[in-house]
Amino acid sequence: MSKILLLYLIFSVLIFFLPKKLAGYKAIVLMLLQVAVFIYFISLALNTPSGSTVIEEIPWIPGLGLNLVFVADGLSGAFALLITGIGALVFLFAHQYMKKYENTGGFYLQLNLFSGAMLGLVLSGNLVQMFIFWELTTVFSFFLIAFFHEKEESRKAAFQSLFVTGFGGLSLLTGIILLGTVTDSYAVNDWITHADEIRNSQLYLPGLVLIFLGVFTKSAQFPFHFWLPGAMQAPAPVSAYLHSATMVKAGVFLLIRLTPALGGTPEWTYIISLTGVLTMLTGAWFAVTKTDIKSILAYTTISALGILVLLTGINTMLSLKAALVFLFVHAFYKASLFMIAGLIEKKTGTREIENLGGLVRYMPLTFIFATLALFSMAGLPPMLGFLGKELIYEAKVQSPGIASLVLILGVTANILMVTVSLLFLYKVFLGKYKNRGAIPNEKGFLLLSGPAVLGMLSLIIGLFPEFFAKSVIEPALNIIRDEKIVVKLELWHGFNKVFFLSLVTVLSGAGLFLLIIKQEKVITFWRKINTRLFAVNFSDVFTNFLNNFIEFSKQGTKSIQHGYHRYYILTIVLFASALLTLQLMVTSEWKIQAPLSFRPFYISGVVIITALATIFSIISPTRILTIISMGVAGYGIALVYLYYSAPDLAITQILVETLTVVMFFLILQRLPRFAKLSPIRTKIRDAVVSLFFGGIMTMLALKAIKINFSNPVSDYFVENSLSKGYGRNIVNVILVDFRALDTLGEVTVLTVAAFGVFLLLRKKSEP
Amino acid sequence: METLLAILVGILYTAGFYMLLRRSILKFIIGIIFLSNATNLLVFLSAGLVAGSPAFIKDGNMQAEKTADPLPQALVLTAIVIGLGILVFTLALKYKYFEVTGTDDLDQLKKTDD
């Protein structure tokens, strides 16, 4: 399986090296890859018994006990089929759709890499590995949404989705690590074997909530749903692929994958179910009032994702079965509808349903496939969607605990879905032709191939579901429930409670639809409610929050990184003073062992002259006096060195001080006089701070005298200077023998400085 | 004498930092010189003062306790020389800077353009 993922990488690069004749067929090449992988997974599904798993393990970071684990079982197989199957259709569609645009090479690269990352995600048997693929899908989806990056809206939407899902990704990682500490492993299998241990751990709830944050942001659950409608800025193939069949389902996949390990607790059931119900209702409710066809599809997608999450939350055999079936139902009709939306936009130049209508005359085939997809969305027989909806109702009727609430809200959401489907069909295809642009046509059969295949699949599986149930749903369900389950799907369930609910749903939905077309007021009223009820636009909240945050950071940076050199120094000095004060207080019991004495007097005299010269150097008004007194201070220090047994230091200090004064005088004539730059108040403030610091340093010097914690290293040098270094001047022997490398470094510094000076002072050879 | 020298160290640090806080670049460089002198003296002082007995090995046996500690001296010597290197470079930089911009004011350094 790792080889398959490698194949994705290779193909992503390969498409740039196609021979000239084939250069225009990048998408087709990638489609062939998808088809090949699709066939591989089909054969895997047919040739292995239901409930078995194929595992491939590669050592990754053995030190941390992490292995790359790839698992092909019923569940990951089902998702892999979706990813590759829909992927093939999307590449076929994109081949025709993207012809007009530039930079399609990069686009296909990203789409293909995304596909590979998604496949890697579902095949991961290790949660850290899964997280990496998870983040990869986030990153690629960012680039894909921002395909029209010259538009500001596109960039904004891409950033928004990156930010929201990226935030979720990070909390997911935290959750994984948190729960990973309980089992000391990140392998899904270990989590499942230690399920009870995890559920009883104190970290269970925080870990669960963090993982949920990741899932809910990725799968666009309320209140993080707002990024999905924004992401409709992406080109149609991306919407059809990422935002219907694959990426947004990653969250659902993770939930299902972790059900055996983490599921079955009240926390699990209530948090997920509640979020799912809210999302399902919000999505459907808003979908009715939207007029942009892609926007309508986005909101119905949110609703569908809500249903999937809710079904996972209910966590019964029936609900999981329903979730698996609905996964396919939704992928089929939504990918198809997104492709149709792209087609319509391409041919008519608009996505507003108010400007569309009567397209059935010009695009009859599109109408047929759209009808198939919309019927599936509305859950009408004989489509697969009907079967899915029946299963969902059945699961809801029998859900433990919260059945009545879930059922009422579920039926409401489905009624709205029926209405939306009918509205979509009516406003786009029927009625009067309103578009003023060119007459639309259906040229380019590849654009319709996707909806055709998906529509027919939906119809055929709806009519003959046995094979699908046996080879796809059953193995997946076996893996989740870890028991042998025989799955049977039937279109016709007989006259029972569920059928009655379906009837109510369809009739109410149709009734609402009629009401909306007959009375324009209804929809305007509806919109009014929405603006009142949901005065808070989540997308705006996000933008505001982000803007304020950025503003806050800017202000913070401005106050810290203000660009005034002296304030940086001031900050450093004050902070250092504070630390030193603290240290002096800690060591307050150390007695200062230096009595105040002025003997010998001539050295006292030297020290006092040095001090006075230093002070004069600061306050002198002219440059020459400043530099001369600085020199005096330097020579004074040299004399101190000389008296206290350091002749080498004294010699060096005198040489350096002489050089310094000479150099200052050399460049002084080229420099301006001291200007009065600071007001007196600043000077006083600086003087106070400096005095404070100087005082502390004095204290430090006093305390540091005669403190030896251990034997000085010098003893070694003293003992061996003559015998090993053959020198009597120990300081010199240290410099040129014991620590010769340090001296080499010193010489290097001087050389570099000399080079720098040479280059800086060189006359300009060219203007 | 240690006390007096410790006070000198304090004065040198005060002078050094006061000069560092000035806007004039020339004063800034003088501040660096004072700071390096102060630090050298601090290291030298904290090793303990021994008068009139440099770290030389005389003929015959010698007692290490009575001579000055050679290691801090070696360190300070290196520091003095490197201080000179820094000083020369900053001075040249300052010279070039004034030649290009015509100002001695650090606040003018904020802008990178024009």
Side-chain angles (χ1 to χ4, degrees), chain A residues 616-676:
Chain A
F616 186 70
S617 173
I618 304 173
I619 55 175
S620 112
T622 61
R623 301 170 301 169
I624 292 178
L625 284 179
T626 301
I627 290 161
I628 290 176
S629 31
M630 183 194 77
V632 169
Y635 287 125
I637 293 168
L639 285 177
V640 173
Y641 288 150
L642 189 63
Y643 181 77
Y644 287 107
S645 320
D648 301 290
L649 281 192
I651 296 167
T652 320
Q653 174 82 9
I654 287 170
L655 280 177
V656 163
E657 209 57 48
T658 314
L659 263 177
T660 309
V661 173
V662 170
M663 262 183 314
F664 262 105
F665 274 106
L666 273 181
I667 75 157
L668 208 58
Q669 49 181 331
R670 311 259 186 144
L671 293 180
R673 296 173 183 286
F674 283 153
K676 273 206 182 295

Side-chain angles (χ1 to χ4, degrees), chain A residues 562-566 569-570 573 594-600 603-604 607 611 614 617-618 626 630 637 640-641 643-649 652-653 656 660 663-664 667-668 670-672 674 677-678 683 686-687 690-691 693-694 697-698 701-702 704-705 714 717-718 721-722 728-731 734-735 746 750 753 756-757 760-761, chain B residues 1-15 17-24 26-30 33-34 37 40-42 44-46 49-59 62 64 68-71 73-74 76-78 80-82 84-85 87-89 91-96 98 104-107 110:
Chain A
H562 38 64
Y564 288 100
H565 186 245
R566 56 182 176 283
I569 295 175
L570 203 64
V573 171
L596 182 64
S597 79
F598 292 95
R599 279 170 199 284
I603 291 299
S604 302
V607 170
T614 310
S617 173
I618 304 173
T626 301
M630 183 194 77
I637 293 168
V640 173
Y641 288 150
Y643 181 77
Y644 287 107
S645 320
D648 301 290
L649 281 192
T652 320
Q653 174 82 9
V656 163
T660 309
M663 262 183 314
F664 262 105
I667 75 157
L668 208 58
R670 311 259 186 144
L671 293 180
F674 283 153
L677 289 171
S678 312
K683 284 185 177 169
D686 292 349
S690 307
L691 268 175
F693 184 72
M697 290 312 282
T698 301
L702 283 175
I705 293 165
S714 325
F717 296 131
V718 174
S721 176
L722 189 58
R728 291 179 181 278
N729 183 339
I730 305 172
V731 176
I734 291 176
L735 284 173
E746 178 191 334
L750 282 187
V757 171
L760 280 170
L761 299 187
Chain B
M1 187 51 63
E2 280 90 347
T3 317
L4 211 56
L5 279 175
I7 293 171
L8 181 62
V9 168
I11 290 174
L12 284 170
Y13 268 114
T14 309
F17 268 117
Y18 182 76
M19 291 303 246
L20 277 194
L21 292 172
R22 307 271 55 82
R23 271 164 73 177
S24 157
L26 199 63
K27 287 190 178 176
F28 183 83
I29 297 171
I30 294 171
I33 297 174
F34 277 132
N37 271 336
N40 290 342
L41 201 56
L42 177 64
F44 184 71
L45 182 60
S46 56
L49 296 176
V50 178
S53 176
F56 292 155
I57 297 174
K58 295 169 198 100
D59 292 328
M62 60 159 292
D69 192 342
L71 188 63
Q73 291 191 18
V76 171
L77 208 149
T78 312
I80 293 175
V81 177
I82 289 195
L84 175 74
L87 173 75
V88 172
F89 185 73
L91 267 181
L93 203 61
K94 158 74 199 141
Y95 174 77
K96 189 74 184 175
F98 180 70
D104 189 34
D105 189 353
L106 257 179
D107 282 11
K110 274 179 77 180

